[in-house]
Amino acid sequence: MQNTANSGLKKPEGTDVVNIDDLNYNADKIDLEIKSLKDNKVDKVTGKGLSTNDYTTTEKNKLAGIVAGANNYVHPSTHPATIIVQDASHRFVSDTDKAKLDGIATGANNYTHPNSGATAGEFRCVTVNAQGHVTAGTNPTTLGGYNITDGAPKASPIFTGTPKAPSGATDYTTARLRNIYFSTNIPTSMANGDICLTYE
């Protein structure tokens, strides 16, 4: 006696005695297999085919949300600037702004004001260039050092106009500059220290 490879049905050989129980066993086995197939079968629907994979409602909705030709997407070579969101650390630079930046010398923020040419200190006379920078400084001790050309020299000065000496000194024994009047009458408004020479 042999058995089938898949369902295990009994196969009598030529020398075996046919046993009704074996036939009934095979019939019951086949009936059970047919019932299992009927219970798990899928009815055929016109216009639809069968698949080896389960197809759920979720997957159907996902497929419905994909636009036609989605698999043919080609990423563009450029993008409009409007898709970029600017923030405090990321800003666009306009042509005007760029031109302004191009006009600023490299290292402009590292500017160091040059020395004026004059040493630090206090000066009574300074030289100023066209930019208003002091380029030199001196402390003259003479009128000429200040470029004063109309002052009277200390030695043998020549006065013009009506120069006057300080009045009020009553010390006649000390050499000092005094106001001297020449008059035929004694002036009534002389100050202490003034000298009046009268003549007829």
Side-chain angles (χ1 to χ4, degrees), residues 6-34:
N6 295 316
S7 299
L9 299 177
K10 295 183 178 183
K11 297 185 343 179
E13 297 185 45
T15 58
D16 292 333
V17 177
V18 176
N19 187 342
I20 192 67
D21 290 336
D22 292 338
L23 296 177
N24 291 336
Y25 172 83
N26 288 342
D28 292 340
K29 189 79 171 177
I30 293 171
D31 183 66
L32 185 62
E33 292 290 338
I34 292 174

PDB file of all heavy atoms in Angstrom, residues 6-34:
ATOM      1  N   ASN A   6       0.794  14.421  -1.651  1.00  0.00           N
ATOM      2  CA  ASN A   6       0.241  15.678  -1.125  1.00  0.00           C
ATOM      3  C   ASN A   6      -0.808  15.448  -0.037  1.00  0.00           C
ATOM      4  O   ASN A   6      -0.687  15.975   1.071  1.00  0.00           O
ATOM      5  CB  ASN A   6      -0.369  16.499  -2.251  1.00  0.00           C
ATOM      6  CG  ASN A   6       0.691  16.951  -3.259  1.00  0.00           C
ATOM      7  OD1 ASN A   6       1.761  17.401  -2.869  1.00  0.00           O
ATOM      8  ND2 ASN A   6       0.399  16.798  -4.547  1.00  0.00           N
ATOM      9  N   SER A   7      -1.821  14.689  -0.329  1.00  0.00           N
ATOM     10  CA  SER A   7      -2.930  14.525   0.624  1.00  0.00           C
ATOM     11  C   SER A   7      -2.882  13.233   1.413  1.00  0.00           C
ATOM     12  O   SER A   7      -3.706  13.003   2.305  1.00  0.00           O
ATOM     13  CB  SER A   7      -4.281  14.612  -0.120  1.00  0.00           C
ATOM     14  OG  SER A   7      -4.424  15.862  -0.745  1.00  0.00           O
ATOM     15  N   GLY A   8      -1.952  12.366   1.055  1.00  0.00           N
ATOM     16  CA  GLY A   8      -1.819  11.116   1.799  1.00  0.00           C
ATOM     17  C   GLY A   8      -2.926  10.104   1.510  1.00  0.00           C
ATOM     18  O   GLY A   8      -3.270   9.295   2.385  1.00  0.00           O
ATOM     19  N   LEU A   9      -3.503  10.125   0.320  1.00  0.00           N
ATOM     20  CA  LEU A   9      -4.538   9.150  -0.031  1.00  0.00           C
ATOM     21  C   LEU A   9      -3.895   7.767  -0.198  1.00  0.00           C
ATOM     22  O   LEU A   9      -2.736   7.665  -0.616  1.00  0.00           O
ATOM     23  CB  LEU A   9      -5.232   9.571  -1.338  1.00  0.00           C
ATOM     24  CG  LEU A   9      -5.952  10.936  -1.300  1.00  0.00           C
ATOM     25  CD1 LEU A   9      -6.539  11.255  -2.669  1.00  0.00           C
ATOM     26  CD2 LEU A   9      -7.020  10.967  -0.216  1.00  0.00           C
ATOM     27  N   LYS A  10      -4.670   6.772   0.110  1.00  0.00           N
ATOM     28  CA  LYS A  10      -4.163   5.405   0.024  1.00  0.00           C
ATOM     29  C   LYS A  10      -4.255   4.899  -1.409  1.00  0.00           C
ATOM     30  O   LYS A  10      -5.269   5.058  -2.075  1.00  0.00           O
ATOM     31  CB  LYS A  10      -4.957   4.488   0.952  1.00  0.00           C
ATOM     32  CG  LYS A  10      -4.760   4.848   2.438  1.00  0.00           C
ATOM     33  CD  LYS A  10      -5.503   3.889   3.347  1.00  0.00           C
ATOM     34  CE  LYS A  10      -5.259   4.241   4.810  1.00  0.00           C
ATOM     35  NZ  LYS A  10      -5.915   3.282   5.733  1.00  0.00           N
ATOM     36  N   LYS A  11      -3.116   4.279  -1.857  1.00  0.00           N
ATOM     37  CA  LYS A  11      -3.044   3.752  -3.217  1.00  0.00           C
ATOM     38  C   LYS A  11      -2.721   2.250  -3.152  1.00  0.00           C
ATOM     39  O   LYS A  11      -1.569   1.879  -2.924  1.00  0.00           O
ATOM     40  CB  LYS A  11      -1.972   4.494  -4.016  1.00  0.00           C
ATOM     41  CG  LYS A  11      -2.260   5.972  -4.188  1.00  0.00           C
ATOM     42  CD  LYS A  11      -1.275   6.703  -5.085  1.00  0.00           C
ATOM     43  CE  LYS A  11      -0.009   6.031  -5.349  1.00  0.00           C
ATOM     44  NZ  LYS A  11       0.895   6.789  -6.246  1.00  0.00           N
ATOM     45  N   PRO A  12      -3.718   1.385  -3.341  1.00  0.00           N
ATOM     46  CA  PRO A  12      -3.455  -0.060  -3.300  1.00  0.00           C
ATOM     47  C   PRO A  12      -2.556  -0.477  -4.454  1.00  0.00           C
ATOM     48  O   PRO A  12      -2.680   0.056  -5.556  1.00  0.00           O
ATOM     49  CB  PRO A  12      -4.844  -0.698  -3.432  1.00  0.00           C
ATOM     50  CG  PRO A  12      -5.811   0.406  -3.121  1.00  0.00           C
ATOM     51  CD  PRO A  12      -5.148   1.684  -3.509  1.00  0.00           C
ATOM     52  N   GLU A  13      -1.658  -1.361  -4.146  1.00  0.00           N
ATOM     53  CA  GLU A  13      -0.809  -1.894  -5.200  1.00  0.00           C
ATOM     54  C   GLU A  13      -1.492  -3.144  -5.803  1.00  0.00           C
ATOM     55  O   GLU A  13      -2.535  -3.606  -5.341  1.00  0.00           O
ATOM     56  CB  GLU A  13       0.554  -2.224  -4.622  1.00  0.00           C
ATOM     57  CG  GLU A  13       1.290  -0.985  -4.082  1.00  0.00           C
ATOM     58  CD  GLU A  13       2.686  -1.322  -3.634  1.00  0.00           C
ATOM     59  OE1 GLU A  13       3.378  -2.038  -4.369  1.00  0.00           O
ATOM     60  OE2 GLU A  13       3.071  -0.865  -2.540  1.00  0.00           O
ATOM     61  N   GLY A  14      -0.867  -3.666  -6.849  1.00  0.00           N
ATOM     62  CA  GLY A  14      -1.501  -4.753  -7.587  1.00  0.00           C
ATOM     63  C   GLY A  14      -1.755  -6.011  -6.760  1.00  0.00           C
ATOM     64  O   GLY A  14      -2.687  -6.769  -7.018  1.00  0.00           O
ATOM     65  N   THR A  15      -0.949  -6.204  -5.765  1.00  0.00           N
ATOM     66  CA  THR A  15      -1.090  -7.418  -4.953  1.00  0.00           C
ATOM     67  C   THR A  15      -1.932  -7.198  -3.713  1.00  0.00           C
ATOM     68  O   THR A  15      -2.187  -8.132  -2.932  1.00  0.00           O
ATOM     69  CB  THR A  15       0.301  -7.918  -4.541  1.00  0.00           C
ATOM     70  OG1 THR A  15       0.978  -6.886  -3.821  1.00  0.00           O
ATOM     71  CG2 THR A  15       1.121  -8.326  -5.759  1.00  0.00           C
ATOM     72  N   ASP A  16      -2.355  -5.903  -3.494  1.00  0.00           N
ATOM     73  CA  ASP A  16      -3.129  -5.600  -2.293  1.00  0.00           C
ATOM     74  C   ASP A  16      -4.591  -5.969  -2.494  1.00  0.00           C
ATOM     75  O   ASP A  16      -5.135  -5.843  -3.605  1.00  0.00           O
ATOM     76  CB  ASP A  16      -3.036  -4.107  -1.945  1.00  0.00           C
ATOM     77  CG  ASP A  16      -1.644  -3.725  -1.492  1.00  0.00           C
ATOM     78  OD1 ASP A  16      -0.927  -4.590  -0.964  1.00  0.00           O
ATOM     79  OD2 ASP A  16      -1.254  -2.516  -1.661  1.00  0.00           O
ATOM     80  N   VAL A  17      -5.189  -6.371  -1.397  1.00  0.00           N
ATOM     81  CA  VAL A  17      -6.628  -6.661  -1.413  1.00  0.00           C
ATOM     82  C   VAL A  17      -7.361  -5.347  -1.260  1.00  0.00           C
ATOM     83  O   VAL A  17      -7.057  -4.567  -0.377  1.00  0.00           O
ATOM     84  CB  VAL A  17      -7.007  -7.630  -0.284  1.00  0.00           C
ATOM     85  CG1 VAL A  17      -8.518  -7.873  -0.271  1.00  0.00           C
ATOM     86  CG2 VAL A  17      -6.261  -8.947  -0.432  1.00  0.00           C
ATOM     87  N   VAL A  18      -8.304  -5.092  -2.148  1.00  0.00           N
ATOM     88  CA  VAL A  18      -9.069  -3.854  -2.064  1.00  0.00           C
ATOM     89  C   VAL A  18      -9.924  -3.886  -0.819  1.00  0.00           C
ATOM     90  O   VAL A  18     -10.702  -4.826  -0.592  1.00  0.00           O
ATOM     91  CB  VAL A  18      -9.950  -3.671  -3.326  1.00  0.00           C
ATOM     92  CG1 VAL A  18     -10.804  -2.426  -3.183  1.00  0.00           C
ATOM     93  CG2 VAL A  18      -9.091  -3.610  -4.563  1.00  0.00           C
ATOM     94  N   ASN A  19      -9.762  -2.815  -0.007  1.00  0.00           N
ATOM     95  CA  ASN A  19     -10.478  -2.712   1.263  1.00  0.00           C
ATOM     96  C   ASN A  19     -11.414  -1.512   1.159  1.00  0.00           C
ATOM     97  O   ASN A  19     -10.998  -0.395   0.853  1.00  0.00           O
ATOM     98  CB  ASN A  19      -9.471  -2.546   2.410  1.00  0.00           C
ATOM     99  CG  ASN A  19     -10.144  -2.603   3.756  1.00  0.00           C
ATOM    100  OD1 ASN A  19     -11.361  -2.434   3.892  1.00  0.00           O
ATOM    101  ND2 ASN A  19      -9.345  -2.864   4.792  1.00  0.00           N
ATOM    102  N   ILE A  20     -12.665  -1.748   1.449  1.00  0.00           N
ATOM    103  CA  ILE A  20     -13.668  -0.691   1.372  1.00  0.00           C
ATOM    104  C   ILE A  20     -13.337   0.481   2.302  1.00  0.00           C
ATOM    105  O   ILE A  20     -13.655   1.627   2.036  1.00  0.00           O
ATOM    106  CB  ILE A  20     -15.084  -1.260   1.656  1.00  0.00           C
ATOM    107  CG1 ILE A  20     -16.150  -0.208   1.277  1.00  0.00           C
ATOM    108  CG2 ILE A  20     -15.201  -1.693   3.108  1.00  0.00           C
ATOM    109  CD1 ILE A  20     -16.217   0.054  -0.174  1.00  0.00           C
ATOM    110  N   ASP A  21     -12.707   0.177   3.408  1.00  0.00           N
ATOM    111  CA  ASP A  21     -12.338   1.232   4.360  1.00  0.00           C
ATOM    112  C   ASP A  21     -11.321   2.196   3.745  1.00  0.00           C
ATOM    113  O   ASP A  21     -11.343   3.410   4.017  1.00  0.00           O
ATOM    114  CB  ASP A  21     -11.758   0.604   5.629  1.00  0.00           C
ATOM    115  CG  ASP A  21     -12.832  -0.132   6.450  1.00  0.00           C
ATOM    116  OD1 ASP A  21     -14.020   0.231   6.292  1.00  0.00           O
ATOM    117  OD2 ASP A  21     -12.440  -1.004   7.242  1.00  0.00           O
ATOM    118  N   ASP A  22     -10.436   1.620   2.909  1.00  0.00           N
ATOM    119  CA  ASP A  22      -9.459   2.500   2.258  1.00  0.00           C
ATOM    120  C   ASP A  22     -10.151   3.453   1.285  1.00  0.00           C
ATOM    121  O   ASP A  22      -9.808   4.638   1.174  1.00  0.00           O
ATOM    122  CB  ASP A  22      -8.419   1.663   1.521  1.00  0.00           C
ATOM    123  CG  ASP A  22      -7.521   0.871   2.494  1.00  0.00           C
ATOM    124  OD1 ASP A  22      -7.431   1.301   3.671  1.00  0.00           O
ATOM    125  OD2 ASP A  22      -6.920  -0.114   2.061  1.00  0.00           O
ATOM    126  N   LEU A  23     -11.149   2.939   0.576  1.00  0.00           N
ATOM    127  CA  LEU A  23     -11.895   3.792  -0.366  1.00  0.00           C
ATOM    128  C   LEU A  23     -12.652   4.889   0.382  1.00  0.00           C
ATOM    129  O   LEU A  23     -12.685   6.051  -0.029  1.00  0.00           O
ATOM    130  CB  LEU A  23     -12.845   2.930  -1.194  1.00  0.00           C
ATOM    131  CG  LEU A  23     -12.191   1.880  -2.127  1.00  0.00           C
ATOM    132  CD1 LEU A  23     -13.255   1.045  -2.828  1.00  0.00           C
ATOM    133  CD2 LEU A  23     -11.278   2.564  -3.126  1.00  0.00           C
ATOM    134  N   ASN A  24     -13.272   4.502   1.495  1.00  0.00           N
ATOM    135  CA  ASN A  24     -13.991   5.500   2.290  1.00  0.00           C
ATOM    136  C   ASN A  24     -13.022   6.556   2.875  1.00  0.00           C
ATOM    137  O   ASN A  24     -13.336   7.752   2.973  1.00  0.00           O
ATOM    138  CB  ASN A  24     -14.759   4.808   3.419  1.00  0.00           C
ATOM    139  CG  ASN A  24     -15.932   3.977   2.875  1.00  0.00           C
ATOM    140  OD1 ASN A  24     -16.441   4.259   1.781  1.00  0.00           O
ATOM    141  ND2 ASN A  24     -16.341   2.951   3.629  1.00  0.00           N
ATOM    142  N   TYR A  25     -11.890   6.074   3.275  1.00  0.00           N
ATOM    143  CA  TYR A  25     -10.873   7.016   3.827  1.00  0.00           C
ATOM    144  C   TYR A  25     -10.480   8.060   2.771  1.00  0.00           C
ATOM    145  O   TYR A  25     -10.409   9.251   3.036  1.00  0.00           O
ATOM    146  CB  TYR A  25      -9.654   6.238   4.297  1.00  0.00           C
ATOM    147  CG  TYR A  25      -8.486   7.121   4.701  1.00  0.00           C
ATOM    148  CD1 TYR A  25      -8.430   7.695   5.973  1.00  0.00           C
ATOM    149  CD2 TYR A  25      -7.457   7.398   3.791  1.00  0.00           C
ATOM    150  CE1 TYR A  25      -7.363   8.515   6.332  1.00  0.00           C
ATOM    151  CE2 TYR A  25      -6.410   8.217   4.150  1.00  0.00           C
ATOM    152  CZ  TYR A  25      -6.352   8.772   5.414  1.00  0.00           C
ATOM    153  OH  TYR A  25      -5.311   9.584   5.772  1.00  0.00           O
ATOM    154  N   ASN A  26     -10.215   7.549   1.540  1.00  0.00           N
ATOM    155  CA  ASN A  26      -9.835   8.475   0.463  1.00  0.00           C
ATOM    156  C   ASN A  26     -10.964   9.452   0.153  1.00  0.00           C
ATOM    157  O   ASN A  26     -10.733  10.656  -0.072  1.00  0.00           O
ATOM    158  CB  ASN A  26      -9.464   7.691  -0.783  1.00  0.00           C
ATOM    159  CG  ASN A  26      -8.128   6.973  -0.629  1.00  0.00           C
ATOM    160  OD1 ASN A  26      -7.338   7.311   0.253  1.00  0.00           O
ATOM    161  ND2 ASN A  26      -7.864   5.971  -1.469  1.00  0.00           N
ATOM    162  N   ALA A  27     -12.210   8.959   0.146  1.00  0.00           N
ATOM    163  CA  ALA A  27     -13.352   9.829  -0.167  1.00  0.00           C
ATOM    164  C   ALA A  27     -13.503  10.921   0.883  1.00  0.00           C
ATOM    165  O   ALA A  27     -13.759  12.094   0.575  1.00  0.00           O
ATOM    166  CB  ALA A  27     -14.621   8.978  -0.274  1.00  0.00           C
ATOM    167  N   ASP A  28     -13.418  10.529   2.161  1.00  0.00           N
ATOM    168  CA  ASP A  28     -13.520  11.536   3.233  1.00  0.00           C
ATOM    169  C   ASP A  28     -12.383  12.569   3.152  1.00  0.00           C
ATOM    170  O   ASP A  28     -12.590  13.775   3.399  1.00  0.00           O
ATOM    171  CB  ASP A  28     -13.486  10.829   4.596  1.00  0.00           C
ATOM    172  CG  ASP A  28     -14.739   9.988   4.853  1.00  0.00           C
ATOM    173  OD1 ASP A  28     -15.750  10.269   4.184  1.00  0.00           O
ATOM    174  OD2 ASP A  28     -14.658   9.097   5.713  1.00  0.00           O
ATOM    175  N   LYS A  29     -11.226  12.096   2.828  1.00  0.00           N
ATOM    176  CA  LYS A  29     -10.062  12.998   2.743  1.00  0.00           C
ATOM    177  C   LYS A  29     -10.261  14.010   1.621  1.00  0.00           C
ATOM    178  O   LYS A  29     -10.018  15.214   1.786  1.00  0.00           O
ATOM    179  CB  LYS A  29      -8.812  12.153   2.483  1.00  0.00           C
ATOM    180  CG  LYS A  29      -7.506  12.915   2.571  1.00  0.00           C
ATOM    181  CD  LYS A  29      -7.092  13.120   4.001  1.00  0.00           C
ATOM    182  CE  LYS A  29      -5.685  13.681   4.080  1.00  0.00           C
ATOM    183  NZ  LYS A  29      -5.279  13.960   5.466  1.00  0.00           N
ATOM    184  N   ILE A  30     -10.746  13.504   0.451  1.00  0.00           N
ATOM    185  CA  ILE A  30     -10.973  14.401  -0.685  1.00  0.00           C
ATOM    186  C   ILE A  30     -12.095  15.386  -0.378  1.00  0.00           C
ATOM    187  O   ILE A  30     -12.014  16.579  -0.687  1.00  0.00           O
ATOM    188  CB  ILE A  30     -11.297  13.579  -1.934  1.00  0.00           C
ATOM    189  CG1 ILE A  30     -10.066  12.776  -2.369  1.00  0.00           C
ATOM    190  CG2 ILE A  30     -11.745  14.471  -3.081  1.00  0.00           C
ATOM    191  CD1 ILE A  30     -10.338  11.765  -3.463  1.00  0.00           C
ATOM    192  N   ASP A  31     -13.138  14.914   0.275  1.00  0.00           N
ATOM    193  CA  ASP A  31     -14.268  15.785   0.619  1.00  0.00           C
ATOM    194  C   ASP A  31     -13.834  16.920   1.546  1.00  0.00           C
ATOM    195  O   ASP A  31     -14.254  18.070   1.414  1.00  0.00           O
ATOM    196  CB  ASP A  31     -15.363  14.944   1.277  1.00  0.00           C
ATOM    197  CG  ASP A  31     -16.605  15.769   1.598  1.00  0.00           C
ATOM    198  OD1 ASP A  31     -17.258  16.240   0.647  1.00  0.00           O
ATOM    199  OD2 ASP A  31     -16.862  15.990   2.811  1.00  0.00           O
ATOM    200  N   LEU A  32     -12.998  16.559   2.510  1.00  0.00           N
ATOM    201  CA  LEU A  32     -12.515  17.577   3.455  1.00  0.00           C
ATOM    202  C   LEU A  32     -11.658  18.637   2.755  1.00  0.00           C
ATOM    203  O   LEU A  32     -11.759  19.835   3.041  1.00  0.00           O
ATOM    204  CB  LEU A  32     -11.717  16.875   4.563  1.00  0.00           C
ATOM    205  CG  LEU A  32     -11.242  17.772   5.710  1.00  0.00           C
ATOM    206  CD1 LEU A  32     -12.447  18.372   6.432  1.00  0.00           C
ATOM    207  CD2 LEU A  32     -10.398  16.971   6.703  1.00  0.00           C
ATOM    208  N   GLU A  33     -10.824  18.223   1.834  1.00  0.00           N
ATOM    209  CA  GLU A  33      -9.978  19.154   1.087  1.00  0.00           C
ATOM    210  C   GLU A  33     -10.826  20.090   0.221  1.00  0.00           C
ATOM    211  O   GLU A  33     -10.566  21.293   0.122  1.00  0.00           O
ATOM    212  CB  GLU A  33      -8.986  18.386   0.218  1.00  0.00           C
ATOM    213  CG  GLU A  33      -7.922  17.616   0.990  1.00  0.00           C
ATOM    214  CD  GLU A  33      -6.926  18.539   1.668  1.00  0.00           C
ATOM    215  OE1 GLU A  33      -6.785  19.709   1.234  1.00  0.00           O
ATOM    216  OE2 GLU A  33      -6.285  18.120   2.644  1.00  0.00           O
ATOM    217  N   ILE A  34     -11.865  19.498  -0.416  1.00  0.00           N
ATOM    218  CA  ILE A  34     -12.743  20.321  -1.269  1.00  0.00           C
ATOM    219  C   ILE A  34     -13.473  21.361  -0.426  1.00  0.00           C
ATOM    220  O   ILE A  34     -13.621  22.524  -0.814  1.00  0.00           O
ATOM    221  CB  ILE A  34     -13.739  19.422  -2.020  1.00  0.00           C
ATOM    222  CG1 ILE A  34     -12.987  18.555  -3.051  1.00  0.00           C
ATOM    223  CG2 ILE A  34     -14.808  20.242  -2.715  1.00  0.00           C
ATOM    224  CD1 ILE A  34     -13.852  17.532  -3.740  1.00  0.00           C
TER     225      ILE A  34
END
